[in-house]
Amino acid sequence: MTAALDARGGEELPVTPVSPSPIMADTCGQIVLGSGLTVLSHPLMYIKVLVQVGHEPLSPTMGRNIFGRQVYQLPGLFAYAKHIIKIDGKAGLFNGLAPRLCAGTIGTVVHSKVVQRCQEQGKFQVMGSGQRAEDGSLENVVNETTKEMIARSCATIVTHPFHVITLRCMVQFIGRETKYSGVFDSIITVYREEGIMGFFAGLIPRLLGDVLSLWICNLLAHLINTYAIDDSMSHTGEIKNCSQAVTGFFASMLTYPFVLVSNLMAVNNCGLAGGLPPYASVYPTWVDCWRHLSKEGNMSRGNSLFFRKLPAGKTYAIDQKRFF
């Protein structure tokens, strides 16, 4: 315990040391944990993004599907990773990590602050009266989901410029460019060439996908927990947590096209080979990108990195390292 002088008479008074608030400590813990998971999962995201833009550097090979039938398959996660390591070394698997870590850290802080502000409001109710809704009720689910939607949307909007830079750092692998070499240099490059709007390329489909995924997950989990799970059953808590995870996976599958379109628009026509023909057409809007992918049957491209079958009706161009 330290001491301080009383301004009125010079007498020393005890001062209690200030401890960090539980919310701040929880936010710091989330940042540390999130950063660790980001580093571990970054090679997976890197390869997924390259597949999403249509980069296929390895020729299809004969393999077997999950039913044991012989089919032509595209290289999976590990084969793709070995290819990147062969060219850029193991460090090459972490291209774009710095801006992604920035996005994760800033997003966690913004999300925490918005959730805290919503809780402090107290009267934030979408459904029902001004009284607190009962836990587990539909009113409570709608109110809590709305708060989470607002927090996630704010975090997504604030961190989207770093997301755009992350994707462009990754897509540089295709054309072996070095246009986006660092966080600050990349910010200057985007602003100089595209202005403020360049930082928000692909934002709308990303927001739509996040919002739809959140509502589908929470409402579907509420229906299952309310009408399919009996509270008298043993291990009810574990079953409900499992249902939440399953509905989250289902929601992410349904909204994956929004993720794909958002990532493609973030790199589209940005001066990199991966965002220009022949890899991608120049799309005026994200709706045009959606229509083109839907017409070509590519709405799920990059959704799976294992057991990747050869696209029907597509021809592999060895020199261009893509399908057409």
Side-chain angles (χ1 to χ4, degrees), residues 221 224-225 229-246:
I224 294 175
N225 295 338
I229 300 177
D230 190 352
D231 291 336
S232 62
M233 298 170 57
S234 60
H235 307 290
T236 303
E238 290 82 354
I239 295 175
K240 289 185 177 181
N241 290 335
C242 182
S243 70
Q244 188 78 25
V246 172

Side-chain angles (χ1 to χ4, degrees), residues 12 16-17 25 30 32 46-47 102 112 116 118 125-126 143 147 149 158 181 188 192 204 221 247-248 282 289 294 323:
E12 289 191 351
T16 303
Q30 290 179 11
V32 173
Y46 185 21
I47 295 172
C102 292
S112 176
Q116 181 183 356
C118 289
Q125 300 287 337
V126 178
N143 292 333
K147 295 176 185 178
M149 177 187 68
V158 172
S181 56
I188 295 173
R192 183 177 63 245
I204 294 178
T247 55
V282 176
C289 179
S294 179
F323 288 95

Side-chain angles (χ1 to χ4, degrees), residues 22-38 99-117 147-148 150-160 162 206:
I23 296 178
M24 182 182 299
D26 184 58
T27 302
C28 292
Q30 290 179 11
I31 291 174
V32 173
L33 178 61
S35 298
L37 293 176
T38 296
R100 191 177 175 210
L101 286 174
C102 292
T105 301
I106 297 173
T108 300
V109 173
V110 173
H111 181 276
S112 176
K113 293 294 184 181
V114 175
V115 169
Q116 181 183 356
R117 180 62 61 89
K147 295 176 185 178
E148 179 66 17
I150 294 173
R152 286 194 187 186
S153 298
C154 291
T156 298
I157 293 171
V158 172
T159 61
H160 194 74
F162 295 99
R206 187 183 179 198

Side-chain angles (χ1 to χ4, degrees), residues 36-74:
L37 293 176
T38 296
V39 173
L40 292 176
S41 65
H42 192 77
L44 177 64
M45 178 185 175
Y46 185 21
I47 295 172
K48 179 181 282 289
V49 169
L50 292 179
V51 173
Q52 285 177 337
V53 298
H55 184 57
E56 298 291 350
L58 303 174
S59 302
T61 57
M62 182 63 72
R64 295 184 181 275
N65 58 18
I66 58 177
F67 302 105
R69 182 183 304 172
Q70 282 192 338
V71 294
Y72 275 104
Q73 292 181 338
L74 296 173

